[in-house]
Amino acid sequence: MPPISERVRRRIRIGAVVTFASLLSVPLTMAFANGQNRVTGVGTVLVPRGEVRVIDPPNVDRLVSLDAPNRPGIEVTASNGAILVAVAASTPMPRTTVVAFGTACLDGDCAVPYKLHLTVLVGEAGIDPTNSVDHIAVPSPDRLAAGRATGFGEVELPDEVLVTISANQDAQEVAEAVADAEGATIVGGLADLGLFQLRWSDPVDLDTVLARMSQHPGVADVSPSSWGGIGTTSTDPPGDWDDDGAGGTWPWDLIHARDAWDMVTGSTTTVGVVDYGVFGSHADLVVEYDGRAYSRHGTHVAGIACAAANGQGIVGVAWGCPVLDGAIPDYSATDSWLAVIAAARDLSQRGAKVINVSLGKNFHRESDRLYRCASESEAASAAADQLDRWGEPFRRLFDSEYGRGVVWTLSAGNNCVAGAQSAMQQVAAEFDNVLVVSAVNSDGTLASFSNWGPETVAAPGGVLVAPEGNGTTGVWSTSIESCAGVFTCDSWEQMAGTSQASAVVAGLAALIIEAHPEKTAREVAQCIRDSVGPPVTVRSTYPADRSNDGRGPYVFPAAGEILAAGVVNAPAAVSCAPAPSSFVVSTPQLDVVEGVAFDSSGAIYTAGYTAGQMSGAPHFGANDLFVQKHRGSGGVHWVSQFGTTASEGNTALDVDADSVFFAGTIRNAFPADRTYGTTGLGPDWLLRRYTTSGQIVWTVRFDLTTPGTSWRPLSIDANADGVSVLTTSAGAFDGQATSNANDSDCWLWDFTLDGELNWVTRLGSNRDEFCHDVARDTEGSAFVALDSAGVIPAPGERSSPNSNNVAALAKVNAAGVVEWVRRIGEAAGTSHAYSVAVAPDGRVLVAGGALGPINGATIRKGLGDAYVQWYTATGDLVGAARYGRGGVSAGINSVAEAIAAVDGHAVLAVRSSWFDNDLNRSVSSLTAVALTPTDEQLWVHEIAGCTVCAPYSSSLAAGPGGVIAVVHVASSDTDLADGIVTLLTDPST
């Protein structure tokens, strides 16, 4: 393995001077390399599909040879001394750039090296690319001068809007219809992404126009056309950039790169760089580029990912990976996020499998400032403004054919605040193949300038800090400088920023693709997420003399807050071992997990109570409540641990859309946004809503209004219409009396998504009721699984009181009225209804266990069976299935403790227990079982088994892609209890 240079010095190498491109012509460019003349051509040509264009070789007498790489359906060759560009009728590429090498005749010398940069625009005959909708119309200086400054470096044009056409529409047709209706003209855009620039001849009332245009059929989004305000997310560190490079290898040490290079070094995977240009003639890079522009920043980013192992300068994370340059207009008032989207799309078309975008929202223009911090109000305003203007266009890019097959790495930003200020990074969390990267110093602390958020991963982008360094050494990489007053020369320098951190992850993605070419972009990104180290929870205060431009103190996160998921680990990511099939939620003390849920992206959430202290969280009392968000491997995105000095417990959890809902018992005074009932009559409970990124939205507390046993939240279910919470208590609420203060009743609570109580309904009789689970349907009705020894008042309820608890299913409509109760068990034997779920087709599934007959059926498989029954929303029984082990003589009792509805069948978590005569002890096991409504057993998966213990399942959830999460509690000799989350893939989906 060639060594990384420890003493990096600038190496002067003559490159190309700036060229100018024009249609169908390639102007002369003279340069000097290795003492020999070389001719370079740069140009653009339009070729209709199925046709050939012949171009006289510009600036030379004729071509002798030309070697161009293959492109799908596009061929560039030398023939009879000219350039032939042929485009097949079936080519899918609307644009590509070809970099070709050969020889030419010039002034009688037919061995002159010739290099061609040719951009091929593919279209229909007669289309002028400068007027097509694959062209971005850049505003003139006078139109920019007439625009309105937004306060964040952007100018909003008074006569133009950006329209995003809904997916599955004829984008061109809809855009033309909207333009005709509004008296506007389509002046540019990206038709294949459904983005169009519409302009009027005179300024318009934008507020009125935006409101009206958003109502046009087929329009997904419309926003003002805004320009400027984009900046790089790196700058020079505080020291002398041209020092001797001591400590320049610290970024590779931090991510353990050398261990990864033992498995794979270089990569043939193409990395695209959306930036202000990459210097294509740098000795340490292999670059295919348009030749439109180049910059220090773009060149620096490219080197971190892809610098070659050639004995000079540095090596990138993926040695020598090919770089595609996606240059956007230079840093000025005419840069635009639309240009960023166009450049990224072009890179994907040209074959980039990884695309890095190290650009963000700038609050200052000083190029020599490392710390460009925003105030909290600035950050919040910028984030909302950017998401409103550019959220939908970036969603369209990431969700398009150009976005889905690419691993995207985005810099988090250098604004020193929580969250991203650019829409590009804000919408990234919606896509599994998009990674947002925060920057850390050499000690693993978050760089003081870096934006943060629990959804980001972290990588080297800060500085080398004490004791190894003095805080002046950043990340070394390739760069450029002016030499001889005319030419651009190679150099190497250091910068710091989330730009550099993002480039590290881009190179890592290229290494993974090299090692695992069969993996999808989503899988590659997941390899990175699953392999990061412990969460980053400390923000650096280094260097001590940082400045915030007079904007007040830095915004520091709360103690223990997760600032990033963790620092990337190169060998673990390249190994990309399958995610573990289980993970433990554990402290050295008692830990009980009582809830598990997925969000739409597949992230896992757990909730319960703990006598210990979760990572980075405070500890309050004997048992605290907690909620955690996990990666697929069990690593923690964020944790919320809270409580009082007493002992809390009895928790429930559900996730819907962008929110996490949690309920738990609370015993002492606790702050809440609103409180119901009277404090001090017994242990009470609270309901809390979080965002999926861990922010608390609201907390509501509920107290008994009459003395009684404690409220115990048992289950929670949320959907777009509201939240249902199921509790049990022998007390009363809001004057609703119980029949007997010594007997327990079920209480069903209905809330809005804002935490307002709609109603509370008691499900009770003059005997005990024990409620277990609730599930909502899309009509707002709630279905309750419960056991009852009495008769619950309901239409059609005819049952007599029982000596045993009998399983039942009840429906409560959206107004809080009990519509029906269905007895599942019979008086001859005890039965339980432990779990309920609503299937996508509206059927209701209820599961539990029975020692006697159920609805007239006898036990068939064991002493006691687990069961599942299917009901219609009107209470009709339409299917049933049982699961048991052995026969009555075996003494095996099975109970379904949790259920999920999955693709026409049910998945049950079944606990079985029996006495083993050989061992002379009790034995328990936990099994996942899939059953159909016709009693067909699809599969069985053994999860856990033990003696002298009870591995009960407290929760089960079905996630995207057929993943099933089953929670159980286990104990050991050294720990009272831990929560175990087992992940299964449903083979029948």
Side-chain angles (χ1 to χ4, degrees):
M1 180 183 73
I4 303 173
S5 174
E6 291 286 352
R7 301 182 61 83
V8 182
R9 301 298 299 169
R10 288 179 293 172
R11 170 186 166 87
I12 296 179
R13 179 176 178 272
I14 306 300
V17 300
V18 178
T19 63
F20 303 90
S22 62
L23 188 65
L24 298 179
S25 66
V26 185
L28 172 67
T29 298
M30 293 298 295
F32 301 89
N34 303 321
Q36 188 176 30
N37 288 347
R38 183 181 69 192
V39 180
T40 300
V42 180
T44 302
V45 61
L46 171 68
V47 185
R49 287 180 171 84
E51 297 190 17
V52 178
R53 287 286 182 268
V54 179
I55 306 172
D56 289 334
N59 309 315
V60 295
D61 299 333
R62 68 184 185 88
L63 284 185
V64 176
S65 66
L66 190 64
D67 183 16
N70 293 327
R71 291 287 183 268
I74 298 175
E75 187 176 79
V76 179
T77 58
S79 178
N80 296 323
I83 301 170
L84 266 61
V85 184
V87 175
S90 60
T91 183
M93 301 184 69
R95 170 193 172 110
T96 189
T97 299
V98 178
V99 180
F101 299 87
T103 57
C105 295
L106 180 65
D107 297 330
D109 182 358
C110 289
V112 176
Y114 186 76
K115 184 177 183 180
L116 177 68
H117 300 268
L118 185 65
T119 299
V120 180
L121 298 178
V122 179
E124 306 302 327
I127 294 181
D128 181 350
T130 62
N131 292 324
S132 74
V133 289
D134 195 40
H135 161 75
I136 297 174
V138 179
S140 60
D142 60 318
R143 292 180 60 236
L144 282 172
R148 181 182 69 88
T150 67
F152 301 103
E154 288 182 329
V155 173
E156 180 183 277
L157 298 180
D159 57 359
E160 185 176 299
V161 296
L162 179 66
V163 177
T164 305
I165 305 303
S166 299
N168 303 318
Q169 298 278 335
D170 186 322
Q172 184 76 38
E173 182 178 326
V174 172
E176 290 174 353
V178 172
D180 289 343
E182 295 292 337
T185 302
I186 298 175
V187 295
L190 306 171
D192 49 356
L193 293 177
L195 307 177
F196 296 85
Q197 294 170 274
L198 270 63
R199 185 184 301 170
W200 289 265
S201 57
D202 296 302
V204 296
D205 182 344
L206 281 178
D207 291 337
T208 301
V209 167
L210 293 173
R212 185 174 63 241
M213 293 183 69
S214 64
Q215 303 303 313
H216 279 280
V219 172
D221 185 66
V222 57
S223 62
S225 181
S226 51
W227 297 78
I230 303 174
T232 60
T233 48
S234 64
T235 189
D236 300 340
D240 175 12
W241 71 266
D242 192 25
D243 66 17
D244 63 5
T249 64
W250 73 263
W252 316 140
D253 298 334
L254 186 63
I255 67 170
H256 310 288
R258 289 172 176 79
D259 293 331
W261 293 335
D262 287 339
M263 294 178 275
V264 59
T265 52
S267 177
T268 59
T269 300
T270 302
V271 175
V273 177
V274 178
D275 213 289
Y276 295 112
V278 178
F279 183 48
S281 298
H282 200 291
D284 220 1
L285 295 172
V286 179
V287 184
E288 177 185 327
Y289 72 122
D290 287 346
R292 292 177 287 181
Y294 43 78
S295 66
R296 288 175 56 214
H297 186 267
T299 306
H300 198 268
V301 165
I304 291 172
C306 294
N310 55 7
Q312 57 183 305
I314 67 162
V315 294
V317 179
W319 302 355
C321 54
V323 176
L324 281 177
D325 176 28
I328 62 173
D330 201 1
Y331 188 74
S332 68
T334 57
D335 56 20
S336 168
W337 288 119
L338 186 59
V340 171
I341 293 171
R345 182 209 61 177
D346 289 351
L347 290 175
S348 177
Q349 290 175 335
R350 291 159 58 190
K353 296 302 181 184
V354 180
I355 296 179
N356 182 81
V357 187
S358 288
L359 301 172
K361 191 68 187 158
N362 254 359
F363 292 90
H364 303 284
R365 292 288 186 174
E366 296 91 343
S367 62
D368 60 343
R369 297 301 302 273
L370 179 58
Y371 304 103
R372 307 177 195 170
C373 296
S375 66
E376 287 185 280
S377 60
E378 277 181 320
S381 178
D385 173 81
Q386 288 291 291
L387 190 62
D388 180 59
R389 292 170 186 270
W390 295 104
E392 194 59 33
F394 273 108
R395 288 189 184 96
R396 190 59 54 84
L397 170 66
F398 292 145
D399 198 35
S400 70
E401 61 180 307
Y402 310 118
R404 289 188 294 269
V406 169
V407 180
W408 299 85
T409 56
L410 314 178
S411 58
N414 292 4
N415 308 126
C416 323
V417 293
Q421 279 66 63
S422 299
M424 175 177 56
Q425 290 96 336
Q426 290 187 69
V427 303
E430 302 171 24
F431 300 92
D432 294 334
N433 58 320
V434 185
L435 296 159
V436 180
V437 188
S438 296
V440 291
N441 297 319
S442 62
D443 60 355
T445 60
L446 188 81
S448 57
F449 54 78
S450 177
N451 287 16
W452 72 82
E455 300 297 332
T456 68
V457 298
V463 294
L464 180 65
V465 298
E468 296 87 358
N470 59 6
T472 63
T473 300
V475 180
W476 281 87
S477 185
T478 49
S479 188
I480 58 172
E481 64 178 331
S482 176
C483 55
V486 177
F487 302 107
T488 299
C489 298
D490 296 350
S491 68
W492 290 262
E493 64 170 310
Q494 55 174 308
M495 295 185 188
T498 55
S499 288
Q500 282 59 43
S502 179
V504 169
V505 179
L508 181 55
L511 277 186
I512 296 170
I513 294 171
E514 188 75 10
H516 305 279
E518 77 286 353
K519 290 192 178 296
T520 65
R522 178 183 181 278
E523 291 169 337
V524 171
Q526 197 61 41
C527 289
I528 294 172
R529 289 190 183 97
D530 287 346
S531 59
V532 299
V536 178
T537 58
V538 178
R539 178 174 171 184
S540 174
T541 59
Y542 195 95
D545 62 347
R546 67 194 186 286
S547 168
N548 198 14
D549 299 328
R551 295 167 182 266
Y554 275 75
V555 179
F556 277 91
E561 181 179 348
I562 293 177
L563 310 180
V567 179
V568 297
N569 182 303
V574 170
S575 296
C576 205
S581 58
S582 66
F583 61 87
V584 181
V585 178
S586 177
T587 71
Q589 306 299 321
L590 171 76
D591 307 291
V592 177
V593 177
E594 296 186 306
V596 66
F598 290 90
D599 64 20
S600 58
S601 72
I604 302 171
Y605 302 78
T606 58
Y609 57 91
T610 178
Q613 184 172 354
M614 297 292 178
S615 175
H619 182 66
F620 296 91
N623 288 333
D624 291 343
L625 304 173
F626 72 84
V627 183
Q628 290 191 110
K629 180 178 182 179
H630 306 265
R631 295 184 300 276
S633 62
V636 178
H637 274 286
W638 55 261
V639 59
S640 174
Q641 181 174 336
F642 59 97
T644 69
T645 55
S647 183
E648 274 68 60
N650 299 115
T651 61
L653 175 74
D654 193 37
V655 178
D656 184 75
D658 61 346
S659 295
V660 180
F661 296 92
F662 168 86
T665 299
I666 202 84
R667 294 184 178 273
N668 288 336
F670 191 83
D673 296 290
R674 64 179 69 91
T675 301
Y676 296 91
T678 303
T679 303
L681 297 175
D684 306 312
W685 65 283
L686 58 79
L687 175 65
R688 175 173 278 186
R689 179 180 177 180
Y690 296 85
T691 66
T692 53
S693 57
Q695 283 75 45
I696 298 171
V697 181
W698 47 255
T699 302
V700 182
R701 179 187 172 106
F702 301 88
D703 302 318
L704 285 172
T705 55
T706 60
T709 57
S710 65
W711 290 111
R712 289 186 296 140
L714 301 165
S715 178
I716 186 171
D717 193 28
N719 60 18
D721 297 318
V723 186
S724 293
V725 181
L726 187 66
T727 69
T728 185
S729 175
F733 181 82
D734 274 353
Q736 298 195 34
T738 56
S739 298
N740 187 328
N742 293 321
D743 293 328
S744 63
D745 294 323
C746 300
W747 297 81
L748 182 63
W749 311 69
D750 186 85
F751 304 91
T752 69
L753 294 180
D754 293 325
E756 297 284 352
L757 178 62
N758 286 326
W759 47 258
V760 56
T761 292
R762 181 173 68 90
L763 292 162
S765 67
N766 61 351
R767 305 288 294 276
D768 274 325
E769 274 72 43
F770 298 98
C771 285
H772 300 291
D773 197 18
V774 63
R776 293 172 66 97
D777 67 9
T778 56
E779 303 299 321
S781 296
F783 299 88
V784 177
L786 71 152
D787 304 339
S788 175
V791 178
I792 300 173
E797 175 63 85
R798 300 281 194 279
S799 299
S800 300
N802 304 294
S803 59
N804 301 315
N805 286 313
V806 174
L809 176 67
K811 178 182 180 180
V812 182
N813 66 23
V817 177
V818 180
E819 286 196 359
W820 49 258
V821 176
R822 297 292 181 263
R823 294 285 174 149
I824 295 170
E826 295 186 0
T830 300
S831 57
H832 303 282
Y834 284 139
S835 189
V836 63
V838 177
D841 61 6
R843 289 186 297 174
V844 184
L845 289 66
V846 61
L851 290 172
I854 296 179
N855 288 353
T858 58
I859 296 294
R860 295 188 292 113
K861 299 179 179 178
L863 175 65
D865 281 352
Y867 70 85
V868 57
Q869 293 191 334
W870 279 259
Y871 288 84
T872 66
T874 57
D876 297 323
L877 180 64
V878 293
R882 295 174 179 267
Y883 174 82
R885 295 186 174 208
V888 175
S889 61
I892 300 176
N893 185 36
S894 298
V895 175
E897 296 179 312
I899 187 174
V902 182
D903 287 350
H905 61 275
V907 177
L908 309 179
V910 177
R911 178 164 57 92
S912 300
S913 58
W914 63 93
F915 189 86
D916 191 307
N917 291 316
D918 294 331
L919 295 175
N920 195 32
R921 64 182 64 181
S922 296
V923 179
S924 293
S925 68
L926 183 65
T927 306
V929 183
L931 300 172
T932 71
T934 56
D935 201 21
E936 179 186 0
Q937 183 175 297
L938 298 178
W939 52 264
V940 176
H941 184 94
E942 300 287 340
I943 293 175
C946 60
T947 58
V948 199
C949 72
Y952 68 89
S953 173
S954 54
S955 186
L956 179 150
V963 177
I964 305 293
V966 184
V967 169
H968 74 279
V969 176
S971 60
S972 68
D973 294 337
T974 59
D975 203 345
L976 294 174
D978 288 328
I980 312 295
V981 181
T982 300
L983 302 177
L984 310 172
T985 299
D986 187 340
S988 54
T989 58

